[in-house]
């Protein structure tokens, strides 16, 4: 069941369709290329852009929609993260390049990108090659990885090396000659997110393609990646809700109980009812926790320059990551506890919930959140700036 926000935004039909297709897409590795025209026409990437009267969709409501989208298919929800992060940063910390980026989003176009090589380095890697072919014009060759969503994007933000000029970010069309987007993501979860490579092979870039990174060269006024963390944890909460829904459906539709059960139907079995009840409570807690983190982030953004609120938001995001991931794993375990052997076939792809959660959780592992929160509580040590907090 989707939220009131999703209905108001007009996406209930898409959510229902995605939910019905998710298992088959996972087992057959069916990417979302077929949805590209629809996603653009429905301007899914423009949900948080300012309206004509200057108002915006509340951040807490935006995350309610993302949770619904993730419950339907966590891959598609995750694939949009880089787009939404780029547009939010362009609004919060505008640069001369921001109007162009926001205009693309307003037209329904989607933005992907990557700033790392496969080792995780964000510096310009040695294999980056560039050749000056004119005044402020280059041919650039490099490979960037962890390019989440780029397979579905119209434009790419790519960090490239320019020799002595250091590293710069370019905003280029995904179909510009020389741009390659191989489906080479080999993670065991989130397999449809397009999280593999961006390959530039002698791609012509000019000065007009360069964009300034928000806040570059300035003293940070806020934690810059709290949005990214709240977004990922919201996707995990969506997975928990989908796992709960799958568990309920399995029990309701199964007519034969276990041979050692005490009731005629699984739905009347006290231990199964208890397992579903606990799973429901934990999915509820996961949703409530991420809503609290989203509200803290919204309070921070509503008061720009208040570093204390930004700190509170990033601590809330860290707490939510720890809590929601643990709760979601318990819900997934309950799903396997109440399922029968015949319902755990690969066709249903119920294992995708665990696989997808684990891959999402690997983004800045939770053990670091444990330490950072403990250091703050004991010694008042702030989380590090400029990294994934």
């Amino acid at each position: 069941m989707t939220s009131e926000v999703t209905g108001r935004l007009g996406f209930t039909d898409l959510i229902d369709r995605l939910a019905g297709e998710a298992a088959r897409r996972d087992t057959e590795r069916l990417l979302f290329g077929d949805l590209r025209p629809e996603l653009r026409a429905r301007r899914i990437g423009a949900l948080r852009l300012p309206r004509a009267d200057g108002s915006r969709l509340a951040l807490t409501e935006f995350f309610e929609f993302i949770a619904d989208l993730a419950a339907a298919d966590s891959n598609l929800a995750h694939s949009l993260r880089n787009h939404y992060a780029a547009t939010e940063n362009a609004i919060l910390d505008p640069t001369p390049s921001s109007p162009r980026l926001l205009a693309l989003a307003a037209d329904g176009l989607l933005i992907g990108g990557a700033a790392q090589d496969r080792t995780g380095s964000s510096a310009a890697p040695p294999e980056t090659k560039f050749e000056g072919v004119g005044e402020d014009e280059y041919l650039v060759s490099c490979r960037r990885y962890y390019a989440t969503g780029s397979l579905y994007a119209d434009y790419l933000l790519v960090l490239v090396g320019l020799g002595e000029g250091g590293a710069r970010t370019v905003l280029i069309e995904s179909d510009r000659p020389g741009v390659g987007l191989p489906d080479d993501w080999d993670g065991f979860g989130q397999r449809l997110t397009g999280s593999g490579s961006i390959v530039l092979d002698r791609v012509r870039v000019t000065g007009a393609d360069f964009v300034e990174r928000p806040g570059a060269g300035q003293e940070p006024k806020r934690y810059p990646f709290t949005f990214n963390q709240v977004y990922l944890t919201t996707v995990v909460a969506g997975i928990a809700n989908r796992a709960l829904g799958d568990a309920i459906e399995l029990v309701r539709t199964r007519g034969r109980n276990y041979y050692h059960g005490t009731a005629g139907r699984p739905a009347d079995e006290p231990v199964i009812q208890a397992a579903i009840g606990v799973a429901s409570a934990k999915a509820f807690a996961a949703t409530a926790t991420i809503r609290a983190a989203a509200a803290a982030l919204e309070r921070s953004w509503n008061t720009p320059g208040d570093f204390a609120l930004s700190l509170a938001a990033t601590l809330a995001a860290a707490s939510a990551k720890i809590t929601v991931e643990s709760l979601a794993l318990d819900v997934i375990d309950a799903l396997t506890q109440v399922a029968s052997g015949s319902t755990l076939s690969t066709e249903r792809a119920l294992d995708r919930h665990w696989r997808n959660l684990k891959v999402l959780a690997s983004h800045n592992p939770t053990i670091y959140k444990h330490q950072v929160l403990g250091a703050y509580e004991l010694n008042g040590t702030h989380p590090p700036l400029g990294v994934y907090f």
Side-chain angles (χ1 to χ4, degrees):
M1 183 175 179
T2 56
S3 66
E4 179 273 334
V5 173
T6 294
R8 178 159 33 95
L9 293 173
F11 283 98
T12 301
D13 64 319
L14 175 64
I15 297 292
D16 290 343
R17 195 171 356 123
L18 285 167
E21 298 171 350
R24 187 169 69 90
R25 283 190 184 271
D26 181 85
T27 57
E28 299 180 23
R29 198 183 178 99
L30 299 176
L31 299 169
F32 299 106
D34 58 310
L35 292 179
R36 288 184 68 177
E38 180 179 358
L39 296 177
R40 283 148 187 73
R42 298 176 76 151
R43 298 175 69 247
I44 196 170
L47 297 180
R48 278 269 296 164
L49 297 189
R51 304 183 182 102
D53 62 0
S55 65
R56 300 175 70 190
L57 177 71
L59 191 62
T60 48
E61 292 188 325
F62 167 78
F63 281 120
E64 282 192 53
F65 167 72
I66 296 302
D68 283 347
L69 186 60
D73 196 314
S74 64
N75 288 270
L76 184 59
H78 186 191
S79 74
L80 295 169
R81 183 202 57 176
N82 283 347
H83 171 89
Y84 288 126
T87 56
E88 293 293 341
N89 284 329
I91 294 170
L92 278 172
D93 296 309
T95 71
S97 310
S98 296
R100 178 190 174 202
L101 189 150
L102 294 174
L104 294 173
D107 285 341
L109 302 178
L110 295 175
I111 298 161
Q116 297 178 326
D117 61 21
R118 194 154 189 175
T119 68
S121 171
S122 59
E127 65 268 21
T128 299
K129 298 176 182 178
F130 77 99
E131 176 187 350
V133 293
E135 184 177 352
D136 206 17
E137 188 173 358
Y138 308 88
L139 294 178
V140 178
S141 300
C142 66
R143 178 183 290 266
R144 289 303 194 185
Y145 202 66
Y146 305 111
T148 303
S150 294
L151 278 174
Y152 315 119
D154 301 284
Y155 279 79
L156 305 171
L157 287 165
V158 187
L159 186 68
V160 301
L162 298 176
E164 297 300 324
R168 300 278 306 272
T169 299
V170 294
L171 177 62
I172 57 176
E173 304 90 342
S174 59
D175 61 356
R176 182 175 291 195
V179 175
L181 295 169
D183 178 24
D184 59 351
W185 171 243
D186 58 0
F188 62 67
Q190 295 297 98
R191 297 188 296 190
L192 310 178
T193 56
S195 293
S197 298
I198 295 173
V199 180
L200 305 187
D201 182 11
R202 294 176 61 81
V203 174
R204 186 178 296 269
V205 300
T206 70
D209 297 316
F210 293 117
V211 299
E212 299 299 323
R213 287 178 294 171
Q218 303 175 13
E219 187 70 22
K221 299 176 182 178
R222 64 182 176 89
Y223 281 88
F225 296 110
T226 308
F227 173 88
N228 302 55
Q229 183 59 79
V230 173
Y231 192 103
L232 287 178
T233 307
T234 299
V235 176
V236 173
I239 291 173
N241 284 314
R242 178 57 183 269
L244 173 65
D246 286 346
I248 293 170
E249 181 185 13
L250 285 178
V251 174
R252 280 179 175 170
T253 58
R254 198 167 77 237
R256 181 170 58 87
N257 200 5
Y258 295 107
Y259 65 87
H260 51 289
T262 62
R265 296 188 315 134
D268 297 325
E269 180 69 55
V271 294
I272 292 181
Q273 291 174 346
I276 292 292
V278 171
S280 175
K282 290 187 174 183
F284 173 85
T287 298
T289 299
I290 197 58
R291 283 177 177 168
L297 181 60
E298 188 162 48
R299 285 192 295 272
S300 169
W301 283 6
N302 287 342
T303 312
D306 190 324
F307 188 79
L309 286 177
S310 182
L311 172 62
T314 205
L315 292 170
S319 297
K321 175 176 167 62
I322 294 170
T323 304
V324 172
E325 286 174 6
S326 176
L327 292 167
L329 284 170
D330 286 347
V331 176
I332 294 169
D333 183 63
L335 166 60
T336 62
Q337 292 286 347
V338 302
S340 66
S342 61
T343 60
L344 295 178
S345 66
T346 56
E347 182 181 1
R348 291 180 182 267
L350 297 177
D351 62 306
R352 75 187 188 277
H353 300 320
W354 183 91
R355 290 187 284 102
N356 291 339
L357 186 154
K358 282 298 184 180
V359 168
L360 286 163
S362 71
H363 292 67
N364 57 307
T366 308
I367 54 176
Y368 290 96
K369 305 294 188 183
H370 295 167
Q371 185 273 323
V372 164
L373 280 174
Y376 176 79
E377 295 291 354
L378 291 171
N379 303 315
T381 306
H382 286 187
L385 278 164
V387 295
Y388 222 92
F389 280 92

